[in-house]
Amino acid sequence: MEARSVDAIPRGDAWQYEPKWDGFRCLLARQGAKVDLRSKSGEDLGRYFPELIAAALELKATSFLLDGEIVVPHGKTFSFDDLLQRIHPAASRVKRLAQETPALFITFDLLATAAEKKLSAQPLHQRRSKLDVFARQQFKSHPTFRLSPVTASYATAVKWLKQSGGGFDGVIAKRIDLPYQGGNRDGMQKIKKFRSADCVVGGFRYATNKIGGRNVVGSLLLGLYDDDGLLHHVGFTSAIKREDKPALTSKLEALIAKPGFTGNAPGGPSRWSTDRSAQWCPLKPKLVIEVCYDHFSGERFRHGTSILRWRPDKAPRQCSFEQLKQKAVDPMKLLSS
């Protein structure tokens, strides 16, 4: 069951709302002594989360299918970076991380039990009622499993959206009158809070394709200052209009000068890049741009950003990590409510 990205929370009696957890989506199935963890892409996640398999085998129920999210707690938040560390080929490291940073499974749907093998055909409001009963019977003595909160209140959903960060990054809205919508986006919508940041353009990369026989900019490399005055590379944006590239390239080439970034700098070639696409040109820290982003963790934008506007009124040194700090939200409080 996939979610369609929308700009606003839908309203009406046909909807229920949940926090949008920032983890790995997972179907967890148990049949007797066998437990299967399956990602949205169909990948087997079991070898990366042995603690979840062990916990599932400790539940009293021996046959069930749950839809949920794998998260890794870090203090009062959930850490996507710690979660990424779990996807490692070495079994010894997986075992160590399972002990050092054990994962949780946040459940939000029940698709099958021993008594009802086709719960997925029932509308969500029936499935959720049965999930609540299942969770009370099964999860109470097993803290690895948590029940995701749900509400029919639009006001509560708005509150959750305003609070998002540190482990949940928005709100999920689901149609309560539909059966499980496997493989489509008809029954579920996701809404994220708008976020923007002012960044220094610390460098750029040329595009692989020329315009009019000329090399032009392909992406801007973004930087933020730390408390020591070092400019760190934090991500990129490639959302540059084709018609703007020649003039912007001339502007950038006039500012080329080392070192560009004085803290963390862009990396070298990777398996996803060619030598040319990995090369970058350092710039004098003169240009400031405001970008829109959806998530920032580990001192990096998790994904590419989109350009909102240039900020000639902003001094580059005003572009610091401080602007991205927000009041810590404790997602564990939502799970215990």
Side-chain angles (χ1 to χ4, degrees):
M1 188 167 172
E2 303 269 353
R4 179 175 288 109
S5 181
V6 297
D7 294 330
I9 301 173
R11 305 184 73 159
D13 295 338
W15 296 96
Q16 72 171 33
Y17 312 105
E18 304 169 11
K20 183 185 178 300
W21 303 107
D22 189 23
F24 289 164
R25 181 78 174 278
C26 178
L27 290 177
L28 187 154
R30 179 181 176 184
Q31 287 293 334
K34 182 181 179 181
V35 175
D36 183 77
L37 304 180
R38 197 64 49 175
S39 72
K40 280 201 304 184
S41 63
E43 181 184 0
D44 182 3
L45 297 176
R47 67 177 298 259
Y48 304 120
F49 300 96
E51 74 275 32
L52 295 184
I53 292 179
L57 290 172
E58 292 175 355
L59 297 180
K60 294 178 181 178
T62 60
S63 178
F64 55 84
L65 174 58
L66 299 171
D67 191 0
E69 199 93 1
I70 300 173
V71 298
V72 172
H74 183 84
K76 290 186 176 182
T77 67
F78 298 143
S79 172
F80 196 86
D81 292 327
D82 286 346
L83 191 62
L84 288 175
Q85 292 299 315
R86 301 298 296 275
I87 309 301
H88 195 277
S92 58
R93 183 173 180 183
V94 169
K95 181 178 179 180
R96 176 173 61 82
L97 291 176
Q99 296 173 340
E100 294 178 353
T101 56
L104 300 178
F105 189 86
I106 302 177
T107 306
F108 41 69
D109 212 337
L110 178 63
L111 305 181
T113 64
E116 296 184 271
K117 299 186 182 299
K118 295 185 178 180
L119 272 175
S120 59
Q122 297 182 13
L124 175 60
H125 68 88
Q126 293 182 14
R127 302 199 312 270
R128 179 67 198 206
S129 295
K130 293 174 181 179
L131 174 60
D132 290 341
V133 174
F134 183 90
R136 285 197 299 270
Q137 295 174 343
Q138 302 294 325
F139 297 169
K140 187 174 182 180
S141 59
H142 295 80
T144 296
F145 286 87
R146 305 298 176 92
L147 179 63
S148 184
V150 63
T151 183
S153 167
Y154 175 81
T156 300
V158 170
K159 179 181 178 181
W160 284 346
L161 185 60
K162 291 179 179 179
Q163 290 179 334
S164 60
F168 68 104
D169 56 3
V171 168
I172 290 289
K174 296 179 180 178
R175 285 277 298 274
I176 63 174
D177 57 334
L178 295 180
Y180 192 80
Q181 300 295 298
N184 68 59
R185 303 177 189 274
D186 294 337
M188 186 162 70
Q189 298 182 358
K190 60 182 177 181
I191 308 95
K192 291 186 176 182
K193 186 168 64 176
F194 176 85
R195 297 179 174 93
S196 70
D198 295 319
C199 297
V200 178
V201 181
F204 73 98
R205 288 191 172 102
Y206 284 106
T208 54
N209 298 321
K210 297 181 179 181
I211 295 180
R214 179 189 177 188
N215 290 326
V216 293
V217 59
S219 62
L220 304 176
L221 305 180
L222 308 175
L224 292 173
Y225 283 100
D226 66 12
D227 292 338
D228 295 323
L230 297 177
L231 183 63
H232 295 273
H233 176 235
V234 294
F236 71 96
T237 186
S238 56
I240 307 168
K241 294 180 180 179
R242 178 182 172 86
E243 60 268 26
D244 294 340
K245 289 185 175 183
L248 178 57
T249 301
S250 297
K251 185 175 184 178
L252 295 172
E253 288 176 338
L255 295 174
I256 292 177
K258 293 182 179 181
F261 298 97
T262 52
N264 297 327
S270 72
R271 58 178 174 169
W272 295 285
S273 64
T274 64
D275 286 342
R276 176 174 174 77
S277 67
Q279 296 171 356
W280 63 282
C281 300
L283 296 177
K284 297 177 182 178
K286 299 290 186 180
L287 303 177
V288 174
I289 193 168
E290 185 181 5
V291 297
C292 179
Y293 68 98
D294 63 3
H295 196 75
F296 188 87
S297 65
E299 297 190 342
R300 294 272 302 181
F301 293 115
R302 272 256 310 278
H303 310 289
T305 65
S306 57
I307 299 172
L308 292 176
R309 55 179 175 164
W310 292 90
R311 294 296 302 266
D313 56 318
K314 277 272 187 177
R317 287 302 297 267
Q318 290 180 293
C319 302
S320 68
F321 287 99
E322 187 67 29
Q323 66 182 304
L324 301 179
K325 292 180 180 179
Q326 55 183 328
K327 184 179 179 181
V329 176
D330 187 353
M332 299 296 285
K333 289 184 179 179
L334 291 178
L335 295 179
S336 59
S337 62

